Amino acid sequence: MLITFKRILKSSWLNFTRDGGIAGATIFILVMAIFLVSSLFLLKEASQFLILAIKEKVDISVYFKEDSTEKDILNVKEEISKIPEVKKVEYVSKEMALQIFVERHKDDPLLMEALREVGGNPFLASLNIKALEAGQYEKITQFLENPSFENLIEKIDYYQRKPIIERIFSLTNFAKKTGILLSIALVMVTILVTFNTIRLAILNSSEEIKIQRIVGASNWFIRGPFLIQGAISGIFAILISFLIFSLICWILTPKIEILFPGLNLFNLLTKNLKFLIPIQIFTGIGLGVISSLIAIRKYLRV
């Protein structure tokens, strides 16, 4: 048994090194497959990061009347926090609102001049509310429209923001569904291309397989070298694709962070290595071995 296994290993390596062009083509296709699957995985993680970042910016504000005391506002905040749909409530005092406005528009002399002409603090205290889902803002607004809050609340900006909120959440849901469908389609194409490439490589050895059949070689003795060749091609493809993929992420990270602050591709890659490496191993070795196993069945039929 051990001798047979050694012969299979030797035959696999000899065939792999002898057919350099075919082996190179197989490795290239597997590199593309691994690179594609890795890109889809990282794209999914990046899109989730961006979707969460966008959702974090979505909120509604409740503005309180000038004579509302801080105690009354904090009581409202406590009541709102009890609603299951509410994710987060932040209190913004009049002073904080003024400070935020000045910090945000300090380089705009026209707005700064207008603020000085108004005199005093024109801003109202408010509560910024974040919901778990877009559809829950309406229910929160209805709660705030309760007559018991009528003497405290000046206005709620939900109805002004409603079209934007619904648009953002519909776009993020569309992006999720599109990403899943695109991933499935690309993976299917990759599997078909890989299978056909390995089948062509086995076709090149069809005469050798026929001779082995004539002299009485067992199916596993014939099949073994091709399965191991598929695994060897997969291992080389994993190493090459991982190096290329890591280098591309490292190069692109500074450029992408300019467009999307906080989105560090290289950090995203390193944080997800425990998931990415098994995916690459399964894609490289799995595709190589399984494609070889299926492709050679034709030549082993009695």
Side-chain angles (χ1 to χ4, degrees), residues 41-42 45 49 246 249-254 257 262-274 276:
F41 175 80
L42 203 63
E45 295 297 316
F49 174 88
S246 300
C249 287
W250 183 70
I251 292 171
L252 289 180
T253 290
E257 280 194 303
L263 180 56
N264 189 307
L265 274 186
F266 193 75
N267 283 348
L268 207 60
L269 171 68
T270 53
K271 286 179 182 178
N272 288 281
L273 281 180
K274 61 182 178 181
L276 189 60

Side-chain angles (χ1 to χ4, degrees), residues 20-37:
I22 294 174
T26 305
I27 291 172
F28 176 77
I29 294 298
L30 287 172
V31 167
M32 293 297 101
I34 296 168
F35 192 87
L36 174 62
V37 173

Side-chain angles (χ1 to χ4, degrees), residues 73-83 86 143 149:
I73 297 172
L74 292 177
N75 286 336
V76 175
K77 178 186 176 184
E78 187 177 348
E79 290 296 318
I80 295 172
S81 301
K82 295 175 183 177
I83 303 173
V86 172
F143 173 82
F149 299 132

Side-chain angles (χ1 to χ4, degrees), residues 17-234:
T17 54
R18 182 183 60 192
D19 301 325
I22 294 174
T26 305
I27 291 172
F28 176 77
I29 294 298
L30 287 172
V31 167
M32 293 297 101
I34 296 168
F35 192 87
L36 174 62
V37 173
S38 301
S39 298
L40 289 173
F41 175 80
L42 203 63
L43 182 62
K44 180 180 75 68
E45 295 297 316
S47 63
Q48 285 181 348
F49 174 88
L50 291 174
I51 287 170
L52 286 174
I54 292 170
K55 285 183 175 181
E56 280 297 314
K57 294 182 183 297
V58 176
D59 61 5
I60 62 171
S61 296
V62 183
Y63 297 93
F64 291 84
K65 293 181 178 179
E66 187 74 33
D67 57 354
S68 298
T69 65
E70 185 173 287
K71 182 180 178 181
D72 290 333
I73 297 172
L74 292 177
N75 286 336
V76 175
K77 178 186 176 184
E78 187 177 348
E79 290 296 318
I80 295 172
S81 301
K82 295 175 183 177
I83 303 173
E85 291 81 8
V86 172
K87 181 181 178 182
K88 181 181 177 183
V89 184
E90 182 182 10
Y91 169 58
V92 180
S93 66
K94 293 177 59 175
E95 293 73 22
M96 287 175 63
L98 176 62
Q99 185 180 346
I100 291 168
F101 181 86
V102 171
E103 184 64 29
R104 186 176 295 169
H105 302 288
K106 61 184 177 182
D107 297 325
D108 190 330
L110 191 62
L111 283 176
M112 291 295 99
E113 180 62 28
L115 183 62
R116 281 192 289 272
E117 287 182 7
V118 168
N121 186 347
F123 297 97
L124 297 172
S126 64
L127 293 176
N128 292 338
I129 305 169
K130 293 185 187 294
L132 294 171
E133 298 293 339
Q136 296 168 340
Y137 282 108
E138 188 164 1
K139 186 175 180 180
I140 295 168
T141 303
Q142 290 172 354
F143 173 82
L144 290 167
E145 288 173 341
N146 189 300
S148 60
F149 299 132
E150 188 176 355
N151 295 328
L152 297 173
I153 294 176
E154 178 71 28
K155 69 170 183 176
I156 304 168
D157 67 358
Y158 167 69
Y159 296 106
Q160 288 85 358
R161 294 193 181 193
K162 184 179 179 180
I164 299 172
I165 292 171
E166 290 178 346
R167 183 67 175 165
I168 288 173
F169 278 82
S170 65
L171 284 173
T172 55
N173 289 332
F174 175 76
K176 284 180 182 178
K177 292 175 183 177
T178 304
I180 292 170
L181 293 174
L182 182 64
S183 300
I184 292 171
L186 291 175
V187 167
M188 292 300 294
V189 170
T190 301
I191 290 171
L192 288 173
V193 171
T194 305
F195 170 72
N196 284 306
T197 303
I198 291 177
R199 188 174 65 175
L200 288 173
I202 292 175
L203 180 63
N204 191 52
S205 304
S206 58
E207 289 300 320
E208 182 182 334
I209 294 170
K210 288 178 183 177
I211 293 170
Q212 288 179 323
R213 293 285 292 168
I214 291 170
V215 299
S218 67
N219 284 348
W220 274 109
F221 187 84
I222 298 170
R223 185 186 288 123
F226 293 102
L227 299 183
I228 293 174
Q229 276 181 253
I232 293 171
S233 299

